Amino acid sequence: MSSSSYSSSPCAACKFLRRKCMPDCIFAPYFPPEEPQKFANVHKIFGASNVSKLLNEVPPFQREDAVNSLAYEAEARLKDPVYGCVGAISVLQRQVITLQRELDATNANLFRYAYNEMPPLRPPQPPPPSAAGQSSGFCYPYQWNDPSDEDNERSSGGN
Amino acid sequence: MTLKSGTTSACAACKYQRRKCIPECLLAPYFPADQTKVFQNAHKLFGVSNIVKILKSLDPSQHAEAMRSIKYQANVRDKFPVYGCLGVIRQLYYQIQLLEEEFHSVLSQLEMYRQHHHEVPSQLELGMAPPTNGLHFLTAVSDMPVSMQHSYSNSNNIGYCSSYVDSKDHNNNKNNSNSNSSNNNNNNNNNSSWIQHPFLATNNSSSSNSNENNPLMAIQSQLLVSNTQPLVIQHEVVQDYDELHPFFDTIDDRQFFIHSKEPYDSSCEDSAKETTQAIELVPNNELKNAAACFSLTSVH
């Protein structure tokens, strides 16, 4: 598309959508024409209208962060259509749990040495498989394992 | 909206779209009629057509897991409209970093204890007087910042994306499960300082969790109180520890896989064994040097 008298090239979003890039285009500041893939990914996963609505709900000074997080999630979903970025969350959560256990065991040893007690005990056994309800073994760290419970809580508590 | 044979109602997706819910509806198994909020979150982020597109690109056996992650992602985005799951990931990285730092610190302390554990019997064999203050070698340990204890006690809060500088948290204060974070976030509007917030949030809640670590805190306070006799020997011993630090750094680096995205499968036992074996390789002459220094300084 030819640029208007403003002599500015259309943003990646308007280029992709093949429309005129207006001065007040909400996508323009965050989807420069040099990064066409960024908007392409976001549009493929979330859709331009959804992204536009999300950006409108966010204060202007936080929109760039919002766009970057959406771009990250879109790219992750394209690479892993099943788990998306949630796969990374699960892996990291396991690391945290393992590190915490090791730290607990080491602190226990340190406590024993502090009083010149017996040599350190063996470290604890690896944890058993994940709890019931997680057939895939994935660990969803956020306090949301049962959508029905949370949904019922919200509806009963009143929005 | 019609009902099929009067027994099943339309799924939340079809209810929202005001269309007939056919038996072959892809979304019906994952959005029951009573989970309207969950569907609204997913629809707001992805849109029905995009969700269906994702499902159709996958094998039917993967639909359940895919929908689970989609619902999770949408719910996180609803709670944290700015950062979403990326914020959760960053917070987990931050927690891992804190845990690693704390682990390094504890390991170094443990090594000092082990050195002392080996030194005392050798000194007794040489006919030397045992140290009057059994805690003298803990001078370096007492320098450990108390904040590390706080971070340890706070690490019990893992799994909580408890603090984000987020417009929704700031404006609505509707987080029931993240009440601590919302109180902390109200004081912080800086967009770039959100990384500090998890520590600040958990630090404020440390008072409630510190009870679990009272024994260690008691030890720390005892060390600070009893450290009133800075012996010359301490500097000599510390120098030996300093020489060993690079060695221990290599040990610690091998234990963690922070850069790897593969499941963290290494067992605690393996890493502990590896550490123990590496520590046993400390040359014995360094222990003798430490003992010799002690003998020279204690003669005066």
Side-chain angles (χ1 to χ4, degrees), chain A residues 57 65 69 73 77 82 96 99-100 104 111 125 136 141-144 151, chain B residues 34-35 44 65 69 73 77 79 82 85 152 155 159 161 177 191 256 269:
Chain A
E57 292 179 359
D65 287 337
S69 68
E73 291 183 18
R77 182 64 65 173
V82 179
V96 169
L99 278 173
Q100 183 63 59
D104 291 343
F111 183 77
Q125 295 297 322
S136 64
Y142 188 63
Q143 284 182 331
W144 184 74
D151 202 16
Chain B
D34 56 346
Q35 293 186 13
K44 186 179 178 184
E65 284 302 307
S69 71
Q73 190 173 342
R77 179 64 65 171
K79 283 203 175 289
V82 179
C85 284
Y152 169 71
S155 55
C161 42
S177 60
N191 196 22
F256 302 102
E269 289 183 354

PDB file of all heavy atoms in Angstrom, chain A residues 57 65 69 73 77 82 96 99-100 104 111 125 136 141-144 151, chain B residues 34-35 44 65 69 73 77 79 82 85 152 155 159 161 177 191 256 269:
ATOM      1  N   GLU A  57      -7.776  -2.417  26.603  1.00  0.00           N
ATOM      2  CA  GLU A  57      -8.086  -2.561  28.025  1.00  0.00           C
ATOM      3  C   GLU A  57      -6.876  -2.294  28.908  1.00  0.00           C
ATOM      4  O   GLU A  57      -6.999  -2.257  30.127  1.00  0.00           O
ATOM      5  CB  GLU A  57      -8.608  -3.981  28.298  1.00  0.00           C
ATOM      6  CG  GLU A  57      -9.970  -4.260  27.691  1.00  0.00           C
ATOM      7  CD  GLU A  57     -10.420  -5.683  27.974  1.00  0.00           C
ATOM      8  OE1 GLU A  57      -9.646  -6.428  28.625  1.00  0.00           O
ATOM      9  OE2 GLU A  57     -11.524  -6.055  27.545  1.00  0.00           O
ATOM     10  N   ASP A  65       4.569  -4.043  26.821  1.00  0.00           N
ATOM     11  CA  ASP A  65       4.791  -5.299  27.541  1.00  0.00           C
ATOM     12  C   ASP A  65       3.716  -6.320  27.191  1.00  0.00           C
ATOM     13  O   ASP A  65       3.998  -7.519  27.048  1.00  0.00           O
ATOM     14  CB  ASP A  65       4.794  -5.048  29.053  1.00  0.00           C
ATOM     15  CG  ASP A  65       6.052  -4.353  29.502  1.00  0.00           C
ATOM     16  OD1 ASP A  65       7.072  -4.444  28.788  1.00  0.00           O
ATOM     17  OD2 ASP A  65       6.024  -3.707  30.567  1.00  0.00           O
ATOM     18  N   SER A  69       4.456  -9.925  25.469  1.00  0.00           N
ATOM     19  CA  SER A  69       4.050 -11.195  26.082  1.00  0.00           C
ATOM     20  C   SER A  69       3.143 -11.980  25.136  1.00  0.00           C
ATOM     21  O   SER A  69       3.236 -13.204  25.038  1.00  0.00           O
ATOM     22  CB  SER A  69       3.362 -10.964  27.422  1.00  0.00           C
ATOM     23  OG  SER A  69       2.109 -10.336  27.242  1.00  0.00           O
ATOM     24  N   GLU A  73       3.904 -15.692  23.670  1.00  0.00           N
ATOM     25  CA  GLU A  73       2.959 -16.802  23.802  1.00  0.00           C
ATOM     26  C   GLU A  73       2.547 -17.337  22.433  1.00  0.00           C
ATOM     27  O   GLU A  73       2.368 -18.544  22.256  1.00  0.00           O
ATOM     28  CB  GLU A  73       1.728 -16.349  24.586  1.00  0.00           C
ATOM     29  CG  GLU A  73       2.018 -16.078  26.054  1.00  0.00           C
ATOM     30  CD  GLU A  73       0.770 -15.695  26.824  1.00  0.00           C
ATOM     31  OE1 GLU A  73      -0.348 -15.964  26.332  1.00  0.00           O
ATOM     32  OE2 GLU A  73       0.903 -15.102  27.915  1.00  0.00           O
ATOM     33  N   ARG A  77       3.164 -21.105  21.158  1.00  0.00           N
ATOM     34  CA  ARG A  77       2.045 -21.953  20.742  1.00  0.00           C
ATOM     35  C   ARG A  77       2.269 -22.496  19.333  1.00  0.00           C
ATOM     36  O   ARG A  77       1.878 -23.615  19.027  1.00  0.00           O
ATOM     37  CB  ARG A  77       0.746 -21.150  20.808  1.00  0.00           C
ATOM     38  CG  ARG A  77      -0.512 -21.907  20.446  1.00  0.00           C
ATOM     39  CD  ARG A  77      -0.833 -23.056  21.387  1.00  0.00           C
ATOM     40  NE  ARG A  77      -1.153 -22.668  22.730  1.00  0.00           N
ATOM     41  CZ  ARG A  77      -1.600 -23.491  23.681  1.00  0.00           C
ATOM     42  NH1 ARG A  77      -1.774 -24.763  23.386  1.00  0.00           N
ATOM     43  NH2 ARG A  77      -1.855 -23.039  24.897  1.00  0.00           N
ATOM     44  N   VAL A  82       0.365 -28.072  21.352  1.00  0.00           N
ATOM     45  CA  VAL A  82      -0.364 -28.733  22.431  1.00  0.00           C
ATOM     46  C   VAL A  82      -0.240 -27.941  23.734  1.00  0.00           C
ATOM     47  O   VAL A  82      -1.238 -27.637  24.376  1.00  0.00           O
ATOM     48  CB  VAL A  82       0.147 -30.173  22.635  1.00  0.00           C
ATOM     49  CG1 VAL A  82      -0.601 -30.852  23.767  1.00  0.00           C
ATOM     50  CG2 VAL A  82      -0.011 -30.975  21.351  1.00  0.00           C
ATOM     51  N   VAL A  96      11.879 -25.772  40.326  1.00  0.00           N
ATOM     52  CA  VAL A  96      11.734 -25.072  41.601  1.00  0.00           C
ATOM     53  C   VAL A  96      11.488 -26.075  42.720  1.00  0.00           C
ATOM     54  O   VAL A  96      12.098 -25.993  43.790  1.00  0.00           O
ATOM     55  CB  VAL A  96      10.591 -24.044  41.521  1.00  0.00           C
ATOM     56  CG1 VAL A  96      10.248 -23.513  42.903  1.00  0.00           C
ATOM     57  CG2 VAL A  96      10.974 -22.892  40.612  1.00  0.00           C
ATOM     58  N   LEU A  99      14.717 -28.002  43.412  1.00  0.00           N
ATOM     59  CA  LEU A  99      15.692 -27.153  44.101  1.00  0.00           C
ATOM     60  C   LEU A  99      15.291 -26.933  45.545  1.00  0.00           C
ATOM     61  O   LEU A  99      16.133 -26.922  46.455  1.00  0.00           O
ATOM     62  CB  LEU A  99      15.817 -25.806  43.382  1.00  0.00           C
ATOM     63  CG  LEU A  99      16.723 -25.767  42.159  1.00  0.00           C
ATOM     64  CD1 LEU A  99      16.604 -24.421  41.473  1.00  0.00           C
ATOM     65  CD2 LEU A  99      18.159 -26.026  42.548  1.00  0.00           C
ATOM     66  N   GLN A 100      14.024 -26.742  45.763  1.00  0.00           N
ATOM     67  CA  GLN A 100      13.554 -26.516  47.121  1.00  0.00           C
ATOM     68  C   GLN A 100      13.829 -27.731  47.996  1.00  0.00           C
ATOM     69  O   GLN A 100      14.268 -27.596  49.143  1.00  0.00           O
ATOM     70  CB  GLN A 100      12.056 -26.193  47.090  1.00  0.00           C
ATOM     71  CG  GLN A 100      11.477 -25.860  48.455  1.00  0.00           C
ATOM     72  CD  GLN A 100      12.094 -24.623  49.035  1.00  0.00           C
ATOM     73  OE1 GLN A 100      12.045 -23.546  48.456  1.00  0.00           O
ATOM     74  NE2 GLN A 100      12.710 -24.761  50.207  1.00  0.00           N
ATOM     75  N   ASP A 104      16.223 -27.872  51.220  1.00  0.00           N
ATOM     76  CA  ASP A 104      15.752 -28.341  52.519  1.00  0.00           C
ATOM     77  C   ASP A 104      16.691 -29.404  53.080  1.00  0.00           C
ATOM     78  O   ASP A 104      17.043 -29.381  54.266  1.00  0.00           O
ATOM     79  CB  ASP A 104      14.341 -28.925  52.386  1.00  0.00           C
ATOM     80  CG  ASP A 104      13.310 -27.845  52.091  1.00  0.00           C
ATOM     81  OD1 ASP A 104      13.627 -26.653  52.321  1.00  0.00           O
ATOM     82  OD2 ASP A 104      12.206 -28.187  51.623  1.00  0.00           O
ATOM     83  N   PHE A 111      22.263 -27.905  59.735  1.00  0.00           N
ATOM     84  CA  PHE A 111      21.792 -27.821  61.112  1.00  0.00           C
ATOM     85  C   PHE A 111      22.486 -28.873  61.964  1.00  0.00           C
ATOM     86  O   PHE A 111      22.888 -28.616  63.099  1.00  0.00           O
ATOM     87  CB  PHE A 111      20.284 -28.011  61.135  1.00  0.00           C
ATOM     88  CG  PHE A 111      19.675 -27.874  62.492  1.00  0.00           C
ATOM     89  CD1 PHE A 111      19.487 -26.632  63.060  1.00  0.00           C
ATOM     90  CD2 PHE A 111      19.295 -28.998  63.203  1.00  0.00           C
ATOM     91  CE1 PHE A 111      18.913 -26.503  64.308  1.00  0.00           C
ATOM     92  CE2 PHE A 111      18.723 -28.875  64.449  1.00  0.00           C
ATOM     93  CZ  PHE A 111      18.527 -27.631  65.011  1.00  0.00           C
ATOM     94  N   GLN A 125      14.543 -39.089  49.070  1.00  0.00           N
ATOM     95  CA  GLN A 125      14.248 -39.772  47.817  1.00  0.00           C
ATOM     96  C   GLN A 125      13.563 -38.807  46.876  1.00  0.00           C
ATOM     97  O   GLN A 125      12.915 -37.865  47.304  1.00  0.00           O
ATOM     98  CB  GLN A 125      13.344 -40.979  48.091  1.00  0.00           C
ATOM     99  CG  GLN A 125      14.025 -42.056  48.936  1.00  0.00           C
ATOM    100  CD  GLN A 125      15.213 -42.653  48.234  1.00  0.00           C
ATOM    101  OE1 GLN A 125      15.215 -42.864  47.040  1.00  0.00           O
ATOM    102  NE2 GLN A 125      16.272 -42.894  48.985  1.00  0.00           N
ATOM    103  N   SER A 136      -1.008 -36.081  32.422  1.00  0.00           N
ATOM    104  CA  SER A 136       0.145 -35.886  31.570  1.00  0.00           C
ATOM    105  C   SER A 136       1.411 -35.688  32.370  1.00  0.00           C
ATOM    106  O   SER A 136       2.486 -35.650  31.797  1.00  0.00           O
ATOM    107  CB  SER A 136      -0.087 -34.665  30.687  1.00  0.00           C
ATOM    108  OG  SER A 136      -0.176 -33.516  31.508  1.00  0.00           O
ATOM    109  N   PRO A 141       1.516 -24.531  37.839  1.00  0.00           N
ATOM    110  CA  PRO A 141       1.879 -23.906  39.116  1.00  0.00           C
ATOM    111  C   PRO A 141       0.847 -22.944  39.642  1.00  0.00           C
ATOM    112  O   PRO A 141       0.679 -22.803  40.825  1.00  0.00           O
ATOM    113  CB  PRO A 141       3.168 -23.155  38.777  1.00  0.00           C
ATOM    114  CG  PRO A 141       3.035 -22.867  37.332  1.00  0.00           C
ATOM    115  CD  PRO A 141       2.283 -24.013  36.745  1.00  0.00           C
ATOM    116  N   TYR A 142       0.168 -22.281  38.734  1.00  0.00           N
ATOM    117  CA  TYR A 142      -0.766 -21.281  39.194  1.00  0.00           C
ATOM    118  C   TYR A 142      -1.907 -21.973  39.900  1.00  0.00           C
ATOM    119  O   TYR A 142      -2.267 -23.093  39.592  1.00  0.00           O
ATOM    120  CB  TYR A 142      -1.267 -20.462  38.008  1.00  0.00           C
ATOM    121  CG  TYR A 142      -2.092 -19.293  38.401  1.00  0.00           C
ATOM    122  CD1 TYR A 142      -1.540 -18.274  39.142  1.00  0.00           C
ATOM    123  CD2 TYR A 142      -3.432 -19.228  38.079  1.00  0.00           C
ATOM    124  CE1 TYR A 142      -2.307 -17.196  39.521  1.00  0.00           C
ATOM    125  CE2 TYR A 142      -4.201 -18.157  38.459  1.00  0.00           C
ATOM    126  CZ  TYR A 142      -3.628 -17.145  39.180  1.00  0.00           C
ATOM    127  OH  TYR A 142      -4.374 -16.082  39.576  1.00  0.00           O
ATOM    128  N   GLN A 143      -2.487 -21.297  40.879  1.00  0.00           N
ATOM    129  CA  GLN A 143      -3.538 -21.915  41.685  1.00  0.00           C
ATOM    130  C   GLN A 143      -4.777 -22.108  40.851  1.00  0.00           C
ATOM    131  O   GLN A 143      -5.777 -21.431  41.020  1.00  0.00           O
ATOM    132  CB  GLN A 143      -3.862 -21.023  42.872  1.00  0.00           C
ATOM    133  CG  GLN A 143      -2.818 -21.096  43.948  1.00  0.00           C
ATOM    134  CD  GLN A 143      -3.203 -20.249  45.120  1.00  0.00           C
ATOM    135  OE1 GLN A 143      -3.887 -19.255  44.983  1.00  0.00           O
ATOM    136  NE2 GLN A 143      -2.763 -20.635  46.297  1.00  0.00           N
ATOM    137  N   TRP A 144      -4.718 -23.034  39.937  1.00  0.00           N
ATOM    138  CA  TRP A 144      -5.859 -23.268  39.076  1.00  0.00           C
ATOM    139  C   TRP A 144      -5.701 -24.648  38.486  1.00  0.00           C
ATOM    140  O   TRP A 144      -5.099 -24.834  37.460  1.00  0.00           O
ATOM    141  CB  TRP A 144      -5.911 -22.218  37.975  1.00  0.00           C
ATOM    142  CG  TRP A 144      -7.109 -22.332  37.103  1.00  0.00           C
ATOM    143  CD1 TRP A 144      -8.372 -21.985  37.427  1.00  0.00           C
ATOM    144  CD2 TRP A 144      -7.157 -22.862  35.787  1.00  0.00           C
ATOM    145  NE1 TRP A 144      -9.206 -22.232  36.375  1.00  0.00           N
ATOM    146  CE2 TRP A 144      -8.513 -22.785  35.351  1.00  0.00           C
ATOM    147  CE3 TRP A 144      -6.216 -23.389  34.922  1.00  0.00           C
ATOM    148  CZ2 TRP A 144      -8.918 -23.211  34.105  1.00  0.00           C
ATOM    149  CZ3 TRP A 144      -6.627 -23.809  33.672  1.00  0.00           C
ATOM    150  CH2 TRP A 144      -7.968 -23.728  33.277  1.00  0.00           C
ATOM    151  N   ASP A 151     -14.554 -21.657  38.917  1.00  0.00           N
ATOM    152  CA  ASP A 151     -15.700 -21.022  38.288  1.00  0.00           C
ATOM    153  C   ASP A 151     -16.867 -20.974  39.265  1.00  0.00           C
ATOM    154  O   ASP A 151     -17.582 -19.990  39.348  1.00  0.00           O
ATOM    155  CB  ASP A 151     -16.084 -21.808  37.034  1.00  0.00           C
ATOM    156  CG  ASP A 151     -16.874 -20.954  36.063  1.00  0.00           C
ATOM    157  OD1 ASP A 151     -16.857 -19.724  36.204  1.00  0.00           O
ATOM    158  OD2 ASP A 151     -17.529 -21.524  35.178  1.00  0.00           O
TER     159      ASP A 151
ATOM    160  N   ASP B  34     -21.649 -25.020  32.727  1.00  0.00           N
ATOM    161  CA  ASP B  34     -21.485 -24.291  33.985  1.00  0.00           C
ATOM    162  C   ASP B  34     -20.154 -23.567  34.075  1.00  0.00           C
ATOM    163  O   ASP B  34     -19.857 -22.912  35.074  1.00  0.00           O
ATOM    164  CB  ASP B  34     -21.619 -25.260  35.164  1.00  0.00           C
ATOM    165  CG  ASP B  34     -20.641 -26.415  35.058  1.00  0.00           C
ATOM    166  OD1 ASP B  34     -20.072 -26.593  33.968  1.00  0.00           O
ATOM    167  OD2 ASP B  34     -20.455 -27.141  36.052  1.00  0.00           O
ATOM    168  N   GLN B  35     -19.330 -23.651  33.050  1.00  0.00           N
ATOM    169  CA  GLN B  35     -18.021 -22.974  33.077  1.00  0.00           C
ATOM    170  C   GLN B  35     -18.020 -21.817  32.093  1.00  0.00           C
ATOM    171  O   GLN B  35     -17.206 -21.759  31.177  1.00  0.00           O
ATOM    172  CB  GLN B  35     -16.906 -23.959  32.736  1.00  0.00           C
ATOM    173  CG  GLN B  35     -16.703 -25.036  33.788  1.00  0.00           C
ATOM    174  CD  GLN B  35     -15.501 -25.914  33.482  1.00  0.00           C
ATOM    175  OE1 GLN B  35     -14.686 -25.595  32.634  1.00  0.00           O
ATOM    176  NE2 GLN B  35     -15.407 -27.043  34.165  1.00  0.00           N
ATOM    177  N   LYS B  44     -11.973 -14.716  24.838  1.00  0.00           N
ATOM    178  CA  LYS B  44     -11.428 -13.361  24.812  1.00  0.00           C
ATOM    179  C   LYS B  44      -9.995 -13.357  24.306  1.00  0.00           C
ATOM    180  O   LYS B  44      -9.577 -12.429  23.620  1.00  0.00           O
ATOM    181  CB  LYS B  44     -11.491 -12.780  26.226  1.00  0.00           C
ATOM    182  CG  LYS B  44     -11.082 -11.333  26.337  1.00  0.00           C
ATOM    183  CD  LYS B  44     -11.220 -10.863  27.784  1.00  0.00           C
ATOM    184  CE  LYS B  44     -10.765  -9.436  27.899  1.00  0.00           C
ATOM    185  NZ  LYS B  44     -10.790  -8.968  29.301  1.00  0.00           N
ATOM    186  N   GLU B  65      -5.208 -32.325  26.356  1.00  0.00           N
ATOM    187  CA  GLU B  65      -4.066 -31.577  26.893  1.00  0.00           C
ATOM    188  C   GLU B  65      -3.989 -30.189  26.285  1.00  0.00           C
ATOM    189  O   GLU B  65      -3.670 -29.209  26.977  1.00  0.00           O
ATOM    190  CB  GLU B  65      -2.765 -32.345  26.619  1.00  0.00           C
ATOM    191  CG  GLU B  65      -2.559 -33.530  27.524  1.00  0.00           C
ATOM    192  CD  GLU B  65      -2.549 -33.147  28.994  1.00  0.00           C
ATOM    193  OE1 GLU B  65      -1.780 -32.243  29.373  1.00  0.00           O
ATOM    194  OE2 GLU B  65      -3.349 -33.722  29.753  1.00  0.00           O
ATOM    195  N   SER B  69      -4.168 -26.618  28.396  1.00  0.00           N
ATOM    196  CA  SER B  69      -3.185 -25.532  28.368  1.00  0.00           C
ATOM    197  C   SER B  69      -3.812 -24.241  27.853  1.00  0.00           C
ATOM    198  O   SER B  69      -3.469 -23.151  28.319  1.00  0.00           O
ATOM    199  CB  SER B  69      -1.983 -25.930  27.499  1.00  0.00           C
ATOM    200  OG  SER B  69      -2.338 -25.965  26.127  1.00  0.00           O
ATOM    201  N   GLN B  73      -3.824 -20.912  30.018  1.00  0.00           N
ATOM    202  CA  GLN B  73      -3.230 -19.690  29.479  1.00  0.00           C
ATOM    203  C   GLN B  73      -4.239 -18.551  29.480  1.00  0.00           C
ATOM    204  O   GLN B  73      -3.926 -17.412  29.822  1.00  0.00           O
ATOM    205  CB  GLN B  73      -2.741 -19.979  28.057  1.00  0.00           C
ATOM    206  CG  GLN B  73      -1.892 -18.891  27.445  1.00  0.00           C
ATOM    207  CD  GLN B  73      -1.306 -19.304  26.103  1.00  0.00           C
ATOM    208  OE1 GLN B  73      -1.245 -20.480  25.768  1.00  0.00           O
ATOM    209  NE2 GLN B  73      -0.872 -18.336  25.326  1.00  0.00           N
ATOM    210  N   ARG B  77      -4.091 -15.067  31.634  1.00  0.00           N
ATOM    211  CA  ARG B  77      -4.191 -13.787  30.950  1.00  0.00           C
ATOM    212  C   ARG B  77      -5.336 -12.946  31.525  1.00  0.00           C
ATOM    213  O   ARG B  77      -5.254 -11.723  31.575  1.00  0.00           O
ATOM    214  CB  ARG B  77      -4.399 -14.023  29.453  1.00  0.00           C
ATOM    215  CG  ARG B  77      -4.546 -12.768  28.617  1.00  0.00           C
ATOM    216  CD  ARG B  77      -3.317 -11.897  28.593  1.00  0.00           C
ATOM    217  NE  ARG B  77      -2.166 -12.496  27.969  1.00  0.00           N
ATOM    218  CZ  ARG B  77      -1.032 -11.837  27.699  1.00  0.00           C
ATOM    219  NH1 ARG B  77      -0.940 -10.559  27.986  1.00  0.00           N
ATOM    220  NH2 ARG B  77      -0.025 -12.462  27.140  1.00  0.00           N
ATOM    221  N   LYS B  79      -6.258 -12.965  34.649  1.00  0.00           N
ATOM    222  CA  LYS B  79      -5.804 -12.428  35.930  1.00  0.00           C
ATOM    223  C   LYS B  79      -4.703 -11.390  35.738  1.00  0.00           C
ATOM    224  O   LYS B  79      -4.591 -10.447  36.522  1.00  0.00           O
ATOM    225  CB  LYS B  79      -5.284 -13.563  36.812  1.00  0.00           C
ATOM    226  CG  LYS B  79      -6.407 -14.381  37.437  1.00  0.00           C
ATOM    227  CD  LYS B  79      -5.941 -15.088  38.688  1.00  0.00           C
ATOM    228  CE  LYS B  79      -7.077 -15.798  39.376  1.00  0.00           C
ATOM    229  NZ  LYS B  79      -8.033 -14.900  39.998  1.00  0.00           N
ATOM    230  N   VAL B  82      -1.534  -7.945  31.365  1.00  0.00           N
ATOM    231  CA  VAL B  82      -0.358  -7.396  30.698  1.00  0.00           C
ATOM    232  C   VAL B  82       0.669  -8.491  30.403  1.00  0.00           C
ATOM    233  O   VAL B  82       1.119  -8.651  29.278  1.00  0.00           O
ATOM    234  CB  VAL B  82       0.286  -6.288  31.547  1.00  0.00           C
ATOM    235  CG1 VAL B  82       1.534  -5.744  30.864  1.00  0.00           C
ATOM    236  CG2 VAL B  82      -0.706  -5.162  31.781  1.00  0.00           C
ATOM    237  N   CYS B  85       1.178 -15.444  30.861  1.00  0.00           N
ATOM    238  CA  CYS B  85       2.041 -16.569  31.223  1.00  0.00           C
ATOM    239  C   CYS B  85       3.515 -16.183  31.215  1.00  0.00           C
ATOM    240  O   CYS B  85       4.323 -16.807  31.913  1.00  0.00           O
ATOM    241  CB  CYS B  85       1.824 -17.734  30.252  1.00  0.00           C
ATOM    242  SG  CYS B  85       0.291 -18.635  30.547  1.00  0.00           S
ATOM    243  N   TYR B 152      14.853 -18.020  51.916  1.00  0.00           N
ATOM    244  CA  TYR B 152      14.603 -19.446  52.070  1.00  0.00           C
ATOM    245  C   TYR B 152      13.203 -19.666  52.582  1.00  0.00           C
ATOM    246  O   TYR B 152      12.468 -20.509  52.102  1.00  0.00           O
ATOM    247  CB  TYR B 152      15.625 -20.053  53.034  1.00  0.00           C
ATOM    248  CG  TYR B 152      15.245 -21.455  53.429  1.00  0.00           C
ATOM    249  CD1 TYR B 152      15.324 -22.500  52.515  1.00  0.00           C
ATOM    250  CD2 TYR B 152      14.783 -21.743  54.700  1.00  0.00           C
ATOM    251  CE1 TYR B 152      14.960 -23.774  52.867  1.00  0.00           C
ATOM    252  CE2 TYR B 152      14.426 -23.018  55.050  1.00  0.00           C
ATOM    253  CZ  TYR B 152      14.521 -24.032  54.136  1.00  0.00           C
ATOM    254  OH  TYR B 152      14.163 -25.309  54.490  1.00  0.00           O
ATOM    255  N   SER B 155      10.703 -19.186  49.981  1.00  0.00           N
ATOM    256  CA  SER B 155      10.635 -20.103  48.865  1.00  0.00           C
ATOM    257  C   SER B 155       9.519 -21.104  49.047  1.00  0.00           C
ATOM    258  O   SER B 155       9.226 -21.879  48.165  1.00  0.00           O
ATOM    259  CB  SER B 155      11.963 -20.832  48.687  1.00  0.00           C
ATOM    260  OG  SER B 155      12.323 -21.464  49.907  1.00  0.00           O
ATOM    261  N   GLY B 159       5.078 -21.478  43.179  1.00  0.00           N
ATOM    262  CA  GLY B 159       3.852 -21.821  42.509  1.00  0.00           C
ATOM    263  C   GLY B 159       2.824 -20.719  42.573  1.00  0.00           C
ATOM    264  O   GLY B 159       1.723 -20.871  42.092  1.00  0.00           O
ATOM    265  N   CYS B 161       1.960 -17.073  41.288  1.00  0.00           N
ATOM    266  CA  CYS B 161       2.309 -15.873  40.564  1.00  0.00           C
ATOM    267  C   CYS B 161       1.692 -14.746  41.353  1.00  0.00           C
ATOM    268  O   CYS B 161       0.636 -14.230  41.024  1.00  0.00           O
ATOM    269  CB  CYS B 161       1.839 -15.896  39.127  1.00  0.00           C
ATOM    270  SG  CYS B 161       0.210 -16.526  38.869  1.00  0.00           S
ATOM    271  N   SER B 177      -6.810 -14.962  45.888  1.00  0.00           N
ATOM    272  CA  SER B 177      -5.692 -15.802  46.297  1.00  0.00           C
ATOM    273  C   SER B 177      -4.392 -15.047  46.319  1.00  0.00           C
ATOM    274  O   SER B 177      -3.388 -15.561  46.735  1.00  0.00           O
ATOM    275  CB  SER B 177      -5.573 -16.980  45.331  1.00  0.00           C
ATOM    276  OG  SER B 177      -5.346 -16.500  44.019  1.00  0.00           O
ATOM    277  N   ASN B 191       6.837   0.178  35.658  1.00  0.00           N
ATOM    278  CA  ASN B 191       6.664  -0.932  34.747  1.00  0.00           C
ATOM    279  C   ASN B 191       7.867  -1.842  34.721  1.00  0.00           C
ATOM    280  O   ASN B 191       7.760  -3.025  34.477  1.00  0.00           O
ATOM    281  CB  ASN B 191       6.417  -0.355  33.345  1.00  0.00           C
ATOM    282  CG  ASN B 191       5.855  -1.411  32.430  1.00  0.00           C
ATOM    283  OD1 ASN B 191       5.284  -2.384  32.882  1.00  0.00           O
ATOM    284  ND2 ASN B 191       6.028  -1.222  31.149  1.00  0.00           N
ATOM    285  N   PHE B 256      22.992 -27.768  38.312  1.00  0.00           N
ATOM    286  CA  PHE B 256      21.764 -27.109  37.900  1.00  0.00           C
ATOM    287  C   PHE B 256      21.706 -26.993  36.401  1.00  0.00           C
ATOM    288  O   PHE B 256      22.709 -26.897  35.726  1.00  0.00           O
ATOM    289  CB  PHE B 256      21.662 -25.722  38.544  1.00  0.00           C
ATOM    290  CG  PHE B 256      21.700 -25.796  40.029  1.00  0.00           C
ATOM    291  CD1 PHE B 256      22.867 -25.485  40.714  1.00  0.00           C
ATOM    292  CD2 PHE B 256      20.599 -26.212  40.739  1.00  0.00           C
ATOM    293  CE1 PHE B 256      22.916 -25.565  42.088  1.00  0.00           C
ATOM    294  CE2 PHE B 256      20.652 -26.296  42.116  1.00  0.00           C
ATOM    295  CZ  PHE B 256      21.798 -25.970  42.796  1.00  0.00           C
ATOM    296  N   GLU B 269      19.779 -37.560  44.769  1.00  0.00           N
ATOM    297  CA  GLU B 269      20.842 -38.437  45.225  1.00  0.00           C
ATOM    298  C   GLU B 269      22.074 -38.296  44.347  1.00  0.00           C
ATOM    299  O   GLU B 269      23.194 -38.232  44.826  1.00  0.00           O
ATOM    300  CB  GLU B 269      20.358 -39.884  45.198  1.00  0.00           C
ATOM    301  CG  GLU B 269      19.321 -40.185  46.295  1.00  0.00           C
ATOM    302  CD  GLU B 269      18.917 -41.638  46.273  1.00  0.00           C
ATOM    303  OE1 GLU B 269      19.351 -42.349  45.357  1.00  0.00           O
ATOM    304  OE2 GLU B 269      18.184 -42.051  47.169  1.00  0.00           O
TER     305      GLU B 269
END
